[in-house]
Amino acid sequence: MPIVRSFSQRLLAALTILGAFFAVVLASGSAHADRVSWKKTTIKESNSSWYIEVDFYMSRPPDVAHVPMQFKFQPDVYYERSLVDGGGDKPQERKVPLDNKAPLIESVDVGFLDPGSGKTQARTRFSFKITRDRDFFAGEYRVTITDKSSGRKVGGEQRLILEGDNEVIDRRSMVFDTKKADEQAKAKREAKAKAADEEAADEAKNDPSKDDYWAGGPTEPEKPDQPLPPPAHMQDHPGACGCRTVGAPASGYGAAWLALSLGAIVALRRRRSV
């Protein structure tokens, strides 16, 4: 019995020491693991964007001054604003769970360089903006951060709330006012008929075969190059206007007087020659 008791005591003591050793190792590893501290996990929207601020605590200083990090935002809840029947003009808000929504990825370079010493440090503060232009919206997300150079997760998963006003959705029933629709149709018909009447009136004014064309006299002015008609007392004797064209033969009394004059001149010359 004494031998068995001594062996049991020694085994128990050994297991106790081994457990304490693993506890110290785990605690030490946890203390030196890469972690992230979020300044705010509920962020208000400003100018269609949200400002992210995080502190990185690395187990050791990185080998490079800037470490490429990937922020993966997995949408879980959408903050819906909608107009419903009986709700008036004020949007109703509700949280809509999202399933199998594609994650939103933001890749950034996080700087660990200390400008004073010119060396990389194990901790740094980093901030950047996410915007609606990149498909972000007011709602709830699960965020994970990955060191792209090593593929390791940095810190644990963080739940993030983005506050803001999403676009309003109109879910009210459509009610058709038949009386108003009839009035609008009637007004359209009357306007169309009025336009047709005006067009017909314009065509009648420009058509000489229509009475409207002559109602106010001819629509086209007389051409200035057309000759004016002779006076009324001379219209019965065409050509007797009392004038003649130079070089044209005379007519009427003028022609007779010219013949007598020529005869007298011929007779006078004959007498002189005798």
Side-chain angles (χ1 to χ4, degrees), residues 173-232:
S173 302
M174 297 182 65
V175 179
F176 295 96
D177 189 346
T178 56
K179 183 178 179 181
K180 185 176 181 180
D182 293 341
E183 291 177 353
Q184 292 177 349
K186 182 180 179 181
K188 289 182 179 180
R189 289 194 300 269
E190 292 177 350
K192 187 176 180 179
K194 182 179 179 181
D197 293 341
E198 292 177 352
E199 184 178 357
D202 292 339
E203 292 179 356
K205 289 180 180 179
N206 297 323
D207 188 356
S209 64
K210 303 292 184 180
D211 295 338
D212 292 345
Y213 180 83
W214 304 100
T219 57
E220 296 183 358
E222 295 182 353
K223 297 181 179 179
D225 56 349
Q226 292 180 347
L228 297 175

Side-chain angles (χ1 to χ4, degrees), residues 229-243:
H233 67 280
M234 299 182 66
Q235 290 182 3
D236 295 337
H237 305 283
C241 59
C243 59

Side-chain angles (χ1 to χ4, degrees), residues 32-44:
H32 293 86
D34 299 339
R35 62 187 182 90
V36 178
S37 175
W38 292 73
K39 184 175 182 180
K40 293 181 180 179
T41 56
T42 299
I43 306 173
K44 293 183 178 180

